[in-house]
Amino acid sequence: MTHRAVILAVDPGARAGWRVRSPERVGYGVAETHAQRCEAVLMAKTEALRLGLPLVIIAEAWTRFGKWGAAQMAGTAAQWGRWQVAIDETHLETMPKIGRAKAYCGVVRVQSDVWYRALIAGPGRCTTKRPQRLLNAQARAGIADPDIAVATCIAEWATLSPLVGKRLPVAFRTVAARGQTRRARPPTRRSTPAYAPLVDARRSKQGGIP
């Protein structure tokens, strides 16, 4: 069972892949302009309002490693800043409440290693280089475009992640995420993982939500 929410997953960049995932339909695309970024956010907002579900945005985050210098880190931060402008201009905070809970649950940033280990590599240190990671993401998502494939994987990770569940109203979280929030016990070596990769995720050839 996955979180009952509308998820907008974003792989920020000059050519940014994005994916809107809801319990009923999906939409995806690439955003290179401000208008395209706003269109993706508005699609997610419209779907959340249609279904009466909370909306959460998941965006990939980065840390400085390898050959990444200050200029490259600044560039990636600027690309995410453009998405923040689109989010602000779409006025998600004005969405009607769902009962007593806010409909817009904010932004969750996820390191690439986190979703990659959860869906593809498994636990432990991940040493796979970026070109191979993209190929693996494309195979996992069943999508040829690497940017959309990464966004699709991020959306899949988010549907079961306790980190995302904490942002959602309790009634919309997975059972595992609800239990983790109530007990809040420190993890042990023998702890059962709070979530596992999806096994039979349904694929959609649809290019967007009508």
Side-chain angles (χ1 to χ4, degrees):
M1 183 178 178
T2 60
H3 298 309
R4 291 175 54 241
V6 174
I7 294 168
L8 170 59
V10 179
D11 176 25
R15 184 182 186 275
W18 57 268
R19 180 90 168 190
V20 174
R21 179 165 177 160
S22 80
E24 294 187 2
R25 298 183 290 184
V26 296
Y28 54 84
V30 171
E32 298 179 270
T33 67
H34 177 67
Q36 290 171 335
R37 288 186 285 271
C38 288
E39 181 181 3
V41 179
L42 183 60
M43 179 185 291
K45 178 181 180 180
T46 301
E47 183 71 353
L49 291 173
R50 185 182 75 85
L51 296 176
L53 293 176
L55 167 62
V56 61
I57 298 174
I58 318 297
E60 191 173 53
W62 316 270
T63 54
R64 184 173 179 176
F65 65 93
K67 296 181 180 180
W68 281 42
Q72 190 169 5
M73 288 298 297
T76 55
Q79 294 298 338
W80 170 240
R82 294 185 177 95
W83 276 94
Q84 289 181 307
V85 171
I87 292 169
D88 290 341
E89 291 188 2
T90 315
H91 304 295
L92 299 181
E93 70 282 352
T94 65
M95 294 173 64
K97 287 187 175 182
I98 304 174
R100 296 182 179 181
K102 291 182 178 180
Y104 174 52
C105 300
V107 176
V108 176
R109 303 298 302 275
V110 55
Q111 297 288 337
S112 59
D113 279 1
V114 172
W115 68 259
Y116 188 81
R117 285 197 300 264
L119 297 181
I120 298 171
R125 184 181 180 187
C126 182
T127 58
T128 308
K129 301 298 183 182
R130 178 168 174 78
Q132 185 60 49
R133 288 193 187 200
L134 293 177
L135 291 174
N136 292 343
Q138 289 169 265
R140 173 79 187 193
I143 294 176
D145 187 289
D147 298 308
I148 298 176
V150 168
T152 299
C153 288
I154 293 171
E156 182 180 344
W157 167 85
T159 59
L160 289 168
S161 168
L163 295 176
V164 176
K166 290 178 181 179
R167 291 295 188 96
L168 300 174
V170 174
F172 296 90
R173 303 173 188 171
T174 64
V175 174
R178 294 182 208 172
Q180 186 188 61
T181 301
R182 286 198 301 268
R183 289 189 292 270
R185 292 184 298 184
T188 64
R189 284 189 176 182
R190 296 187 180 183
S191 294
T192 301
Y195 72 103
L198 295 179
V199 177
D200 296 315
R202 283 183 281 180
R203 307 299 183 193
S204 172
K205 302 299 183 182
Q206 190 176 350
I209 299 174

